[in-house]
Amino acid sequence: MNSRQPIPVVVLAGFLGSGKTTVLNHLLAHRAGTRIGVVVNDFGSIEIDAMSVAGQVGDSMVSLGGGCLCCAVDGSELDAYLEKLAAPAHRIDVIVIEASGLAEPQEMVRMLVANENPGIRYGGMVEVVDAAEFDATRSRHPETDRHLAVADLVVLNKTDRVDAAERARIEGLLASLCAPGIPVVGADHGRIDPELLFDRRPWTETRGQLSFEDLLAEAEDHGHDHDHSSHAHAAYESVEFVSAQALSPRRFIDFLDRRPAGLYRIKGFVHFGVPGHGEKYEVHAVGRFLRFSPQPWGRGEPRLSQLVLIGSGTDGPGLLRELDACREEAPHELGPESMWGVLRYVARPAEPEGEAAEARAEAPAETQDEPRAGA
């Protein structure tokens, strides 16, 4: 379709009233220079959610009204919208689908991973949960447990409406309902760091008038006392790892398998240097969702592994020690079987992503986190 890397498509799910639109508006308001395409899937003929975000994304938003996205027979309508947003002219960096509160996220994930558009790729599912109404929501919607089981990241919203003991109780329940190791991010008023889901770009698009981001920044300058402890990013820590030495694919997969629940996102590039696999491997992990994308090195580009790890309550020095232990002194001596764990998360032309990932969508709790042969 184009020479750019496929655009990640993130599903933002959750039952009615959980705060999905609030989370989405927060992401839009704090996107910096990132160009976000939005698909809003309202339930009903009056598209309230679509109207609430339309002023922030302009022509980069499309909406499917009159029912759930997952109810589409063959996904062709969604495919058309995604193709529109992925057009090079829009220069979109990430697409967010805000699912109807009555949507079936497992079906939505299946539609995305089976999509054959080379311009997009599935980027994980985020489930928004209302802390104040969690028990009532489970009572009204028993399928809540099934939805949580397919999530890659859970946002426990409205934590300001429950006390510490109640929050701890809910987090314990979520740990038992989600797949092992699924991170749970606490939030109030939908405020989470956008870096947990996508990269923010520098602001470079202002042309003679204030951009949307400029206006927001100006409003914040006048309306806040700059108490950074109240900012969304204050709850997260970032750790950077750089290695000129190749990493062992097996030990790196082991590290990813054992990553703590508080480690919300990993991004960057890895150099394995295994014969026949000399490319740089982009790694993208949101919660327990994991993807590797091999890419050619640029002319004169140094062979480095460069990773950024974003989390909360994690042991930064400990993570760096674990990554240091992944260094491989003799990558040229490794056989092709050492790459099997990595290649499991690479979409290959010989095995279309839809075939490999559809199985994961059918049983994500087991296939994303089970011990991997050859890892």
Side-chain angles (χ1 to χ4, degrees), residues 5 62 96 112 195 207 226 244 257 259 320 371:
Q5 289 299 306
V62 293
V96 178
L112 287 171
E195 288 283 349
R207 294 189 178 92
H226 292 281
D257 283 343
R259 64 192 188 273
L320 291 177

Side-chain angles (χ1 to χ4, degrees), residues 264-313:
Y264 303 137
R265 187 173 182 218
I266 302 174
K267 59 181 181 177
F269 298 92
V270 182
H271 171 48
F272 294 116
V274 176
H277 301 279
E279 311 97 323
K280 66 177 178 180
Y281 282 76
E282 180 185 16
V283 58
H284 169 74
V286 174
R288 304 307 293 183
F289 175 78
L290 177 62
R291 167 60 51 81
F292 286 98
S293 300
Q295 303 173 20
W297 296 95
R299 179 173 296 180
E301 183 178 2
R303 272 47 173 174
L304 297 175
S305 293
Q306 302 180 74
L307 297 169
V308 177
L309 298 84
I310 303 172
S312 178

Side-chain angles (χ1 to χ4, degrees), residues 83-305:
E83 184 173 357
K84 172 185 175 183
L85 288 174
H90 290 306
R91 293 180 291 126
I92 295 294
D93 297 307
V94 62
I95 297 172
V96 178
I97 298 179
E98 183 191 353
S100 158
L102 300 178
E104 194 61 57
Q106 187 167 341
E107 295 304 315
M108 191 174 300
V109 171
R110 192 193 314 277
M111 290 164 60
L112 287 171
V113 297
N115 192 293
E116 297 181 355
N117 185 342
I120 64 169
R121 60 175 171 82
Y122 175 56
M125 194 197 91
V126 180
E127 180 79 6
V128 183
V129 173
D130 183 340
E133 299 291 333
F134 181 63
D135 292 333
T137 299
R138 288 186 74 199
S139 177
R140 290 193 305 270
H141 303 286
E143 62 270 32
T144 296
D145 295 3
R146 186 172 68 251
H147 293 189
L148 288 168
V150 302
D152 298 298
L153 180 71
V154 175
V155 175
L156 181 60
N157 196 27
K158 306 183 186 181
T159 54
D160 55 311
R161 296 180 55 191
V162 298
D163 59 27
E166 176 66 0
R167 176 174 174 175
R169 183 188 71 85
I170 296 172
E171 288 177 340
L173 279 172
L174 291 172
S176 67
L177 295 170
C178 296
I182 292 295
V184 177
V185 181
D188 62 87
H189 299 91
R191 292 178 295 193
I192 65 171
D193 192 334
E195 288 283 349
L196 298 182
L197 303 181
F198 54 78
D199 294 337
R200 286 183 287 186
R201 314 295 185 193
W203 295 5
T204 59
E205 303 256 334
T206 302
R207 294 189 178 92
Q209 61 180 3
L210 288 178
S211 69
F212 178 69
E213 291 90 350
D214 293 328
L215 293 171
L216 283 169
E218 186 176 87
E220 289 186 353
D221 286 341
H222 290 293
H224 297 285
D225 58 5
H226 292 281
D227 176 10
H228 290 281
S229 64
S230 65
H231 292 183
H233 61 73
Y236 309 114
E237 303 96 32
S238 176
V239 175
E240 297 182 1
F241 173 79
V242 179
S243 174
Q245 192 171 341
L247 300 189
S248 161
R250 284 177 168 163
R251 291 198 292 273
F252 187 59
I253 286 292
D254 284 342
F255 167 79
L256 294 175
D257 283 343
R258 293 181 284 102
R259 64 192 188 273
L263 184 54
Y264 303 137
R265 187 173 182 218
I266 302 174
K267 59 181 181 177
F269 298 92
V270 182
H271 171 48
F272 294 116
V274 176
H277 301 279
E279 311 97 323
K280 66 177 178 180
Y281 282 76
E282 180 185 16
V283 58
H284 169 74
V286 174
R288 304 307 293 183
F289 175 78
L290 177 62
R291 167 60 51 81
F292 286 98
S293 300
Q295 303 173 20
W297 296 95
R299 179 173 296 180
E301 183 178 2
R303 272 47 173 174
L304 297 175
S305 293

Side-chain angles (χ1 to χ4, degrees), residues 39-60:
V39 176
V40 177
N41 170 220
D42 285 335
F43 187 82
S45 59
I46 301 176
E47 300 173 5
I48 302 299
D49 288 348
M51 289 189 285
S52 72
V53 300
Q56 300 191 35
V57 293
D59 292 338
S60 294

